[in-house]
Amino acid sequence: MSRATSESGTRLLLIGPPGAGKGTQAARLAELLGVPAVSTGDIFRWNVKNETELGLQAKAFMDAGQYVPDSLTNAIVHDRLQEADAGAGFLLDGYPRTTEQVSELDRLLHSDGTHLDGVVQLVADRDEVVSRLLKRADEQGRSDDTEEVIRHRLALYDEQTAPLIEVYGRRGLLIEIDGLGPVDDVTDRIVAQLVERGILPGDGESAAS
Ligand code: ADP
């Protein structure tokens, strides 16, 4: 199956605080765009569950609500983006989260002769994300969803990751989306913005090139 937008595919980031709904939207958008959703959190959780060497290294950081060190995180993203399915584009969920990760991603894209098409920022206020995370804690029992760890993850987001929004804003890549309300509505808002920017074909345009 060949995809629509350009021969070299679509490369997007999803950025937003824990609980903003990145994972849910990433899966939907990846499907629409025909690219893999790459979630560093999911990769780490898979490795923890399967007790790999990487999992053993990442677990303590994750359980404490800390970021996994850049060296480890950059290495897994580097490897994942080399896989064949990412050659025609990708949607990164939860990466980059630090300025050092931004630099690494810049290097990776540059060496592949590609570039980002956009950075989707999911905006949700603090009370909403905390209540979503506490609800998820009840439902899924994720080991990093306790109230204390949640508070720490949010503080870390404010300190380390929120500044990246400005970085991508200066590059003219930022697509700000209201993350509140029904999941379908949020997807529709993102899709509308991607169509407006020519990243997704609009109604009436053929997806085939
Ligand atoms: P959330 O966005 O809700 O924090 P994720 O599933 O994206 O959840 O991430 C879970 C945990 O995995 C993070 O708290 C962190 O420990 C680790 N992690 C994920 N992505 C990164 C990253 N880019 N850099 C460092 N650590 C990461």
Side-chain angles (χ1 to χ4, degrees), residues 17-19 22 39-42 44-45 61-62 65-68 73 93-97 101 133 136 142 144 153:
K22 297 187 300 291
S39 155
T40 42
D42 284 351
F44 287 134
R45 270 186 294 281
F61 296 104
M62 295 175 73
Q66 308 280 8
Y67 285 169
V68 176
T73 307
D93 156 16
Y95 181 93
R97 289 191 201 206
Q101 293 178 16
L133 289 166
R136 185 171 77 186
R142 234 173 79 167
D144 60 348
R153 283 158 59 210

Side-chain angles (χ1 to χ4, degrees), residues 2-46:
S2 77
R3 271 308 307 177
T5 45
S6 78
E7 261 175 39
S8 62
T10 303
R11 291 169 184 81
L12 292 178
L13 309 182
L14 258 180
I15 194 166
K22 297 187 300 291
T24 307
Q25 298 300 331
R28 291 167 162 232
L29 293 173
E31 170 100 35
L32 282 168
L33 290 158
V35 298
V38 174
S39 155
T40 42
D42 284 351
I43 294 173
F44 287 134
R45 270 186 294 281
W46 185 91

